[in-house]
Amino acid sequence: MPASRTLYDKIIDRHRILSFGEAEGAGERMLLYIDRTVLNEYTSPQAFSGLRDAGRRVWRPEAALGVVDHVNSTDPARGAGSSDGGAQRQIDYFVQNGRDFGIEIYDVLHPRQGIEHVVLPDLGWVLPGLVIAAGDSHTTTYGAFGTVGFGIGTSDIEHLLATQTLIYHRLKNMRVTIDGRLPTGVTAKDAVMAVIRLIGAGGAAGYALEFAGEAIRTLGVEARMTMCNMAVECGARVALMAPDDKVLDYISGRPRTPPAAMLERGREQWAELVTDAAAHFDAEVVLRAEDVPPMVSWGTSPDQALAISDRVPHPDDMPIDRQADVARAIAYMGLEPHMLLQGISIDRAFIGSCTNARITDLRDAARILDGRKVAPGVRAMISPGSSTVRREAEAEGLDRIFIDAGFEWRQSGCSLCLAMNDDMLAPGERCASSTNRNFEGRQGIGGRTHLMSPAMVAAAAVTGKLVDVRRFPSPETM
Amino acid sequence: MERFTQLTGRIAAMPAANIDTDVIMPKAFLKGIDRAGLALGLFHDLRFDAEGRQRPEFLLHRADMADTRFLLVGPNFGCGSSREHAVWGMLQYGIRAIIGTGFAGIFADNAANNGLLLIILDPIEIASLGACLSNDTGLISIDLEKRIIIAGDVSIDFGIDPDVRRALLLGLDRIGDTLTHSARIHSFQQAYLAEHPWLVEESAR
Ligand code: SF4
């Protein structure tokens, strides 16, 4: 074991049961202990069927929690069931699997139901130093707590349930340092979109990405979650940030937070969860926070994004091997080369997803919407990240601000982030969206997604156009 | 899982960067509780129009591409969602290997767990493979035992993780293998939970 290690390597070393040695070009292969997992209704059914077929049990059922989130309705008056036969079958099988294998399931009407990556932190179930693997790529979110979180497919879910382990290849280490402080009106979403644009959609493939620097330290825990969540869009399999007092404050007093005496014991161990000063990184990227503008995506890959003040690129201005992709993206998005991003008209506005639907995100959006109205012709929806967040927002009166502005105040779920339920764009509709993926057809076949921060979505909803949120003072500052 | 030893077949080129799993297997095909019916879902929204009519211009629908077994793809193929349905759909459609400069991590793990061979080559080798596609029969042979691709007069050696290679050649039962280490896992867990007592759930505490 080298004397100086990265945060990632320290956590992995602590969870290594046995090493299978170095594989040619693929890093160390090992049997890795997994602390916890969260399951959803759409990537887990075949894993449970596999266990049934082989007559296997779940190794540690209390280390798993199931949450219905992808297929459920977000109708304000929803019931337990779904009008969609496929979705209903998945929900029913999920509930049955929980019962048969002893795993707790939050079904549609459970008071803590919500998007899995919002629910776990809500519960206080994500603690520093853990390894959490789950059947969803945005499991990277938990990096904000100093937890190694990564997405896995259904075969590996089955392996994890049966053995509490995974066969794991150690990743390389990358550090992204953001010096200074983000300017007013610029959020964690803009910072992570700027990183993705800089290094590309595959730029961190094969790496565990540690975010460091003053900008990260000054952000709140929920903003940090936004960054770790979206790190998967530049290919990072794991995102990490060193846990600090803000994290300890965040986890205290939640439904599943360990008792105070245990937290004290944890605190002693968690102090070691930092990268050693002399640790080696295989790649380093440095940004200045002052240079990060409010960002908006123009294309069909999350790295196809620019400052809101910028123009849609021209394929001819791009490297030769990217011209065809750029031309296709511009055509799909219904844009013209060199067009100003600011002023592009939208049909829909959506605030939701595991990236940006926590209480702080809702407050950011409400500040813009307070006393204003959604532009005529724009359909605007907000789906809080969890039922817990929804209640919290209602207690603060944020729901009134959204409803008075003309937003639909929905129940929680993945909703229009991937449109597996009825929330979807019609072909050609253009949406300002606080989500994480602008892939072709992601929000509905032919739908056009522009990614941005929740405040930027709110500002776009009010003007009916993409707009720079910094030119959009809140009523008290006007 | 499917095994792979040696196979000759047609290869189709999809050079776009960042082809994501939403495009490979759209959401309409994610509502099952089994693995059935995913061949139809593969690249569905590129292959069919809104009325379900086949788009004849789509690469895999060309008459000379009917029996495609391999894809030659652009960078970061398989990025995005973790959905293993993307890999299941590939195999059900008949795609047995994909050659590219690099694959997204979750997609690569899913491929290895199901017997879909992924081969990483450098861009120069990819270009030379691409060149023989345009002037040849479009048939190549991949030999996983010898770790070699043969396309016309060109032959290219490839590297592959030995563990993945062994699993593809032999069709291993990974869970069964891991459970042979049950005693190690148990003793690790016991010591680990003693040191991290806050991870012991209320019910079990
Ligand atoms: S909100 Fe979107 S990105 Fe997050 S888990 Fe749901 S579908 Fe995936």
Side-chain angles (χ1 to χ4, degrees), chain A residues 93-144:
Chain A
Y93 191 50
F94 195 47
V95 170
Q96 183 197 336
N97 287 328
R99 211 183 300 123
D100 293 353
F101 290 91
I103 293 172
E104 188 174 5
I105 302 286
Y106 289 181
D107 64 8
V108 181
L109 294 185
H110 191 283
R112 299 197 199 284
Q113 181 273 343
I115 305 167
E116 52 196 285
H117 310 308
V118 179
V119 171
L120 258 56
D122 275 350
L123 285 174
W125 215 43
V126 182
L127 303 170
L130 303 187
V131 175
I132 297 181
D136 189 278
S137 57
H138 291 97
T139 307
T140 53
T141 309
Y142 311 133

Side-chain angles (χ1 to χ4, degrees), chain A residues 291-343:
Chain A
D291 297 341
V292 177
M295 299 286 292
V296 56
S297 72
W298 56 267
T300 55
S301 171
D303 59 353
Q304 291 176 327
L306 287 166
I308 179 67
S309 54
D310 239 316
R311 290 171 183 273
V312 175
H314 196 295
D316 293 350
D317 306 338
M318 305 305 261
I320 200 119
D321 59 330
R322 292 194 48 210
Q323 290 181 358
D325 290 348
V326 168
R328 182 183 165 92
I330 293 172
Y332 178 87
M333 291 298 290
L335 303 172
E336 297 292 335
H338 288 166
M339 164 177 201
L340 268 176
L341 288 167
Q342 200 147 199

Side-chain angles (χ1 to χ4, degrees), chain A residues 40 42 69-70 115-117 136-138 229 233 352-355 413-415 417-418 435-437 442:
Chain A
N40 66 51
Y42 106 87
D69 57 2
H70 282 71
I115 305 167
E116 52 196 285
H117 310 308
D136 189 278
S137 57
H138 291 97
N229 172 284
E233 310 309 338
S353 88
C354 57
T355 309
C414 295
S415 181
C417 177
L418 93 166
T435 56
N436 45 53
R437 287 180 176 149
R442 170 89 175 176

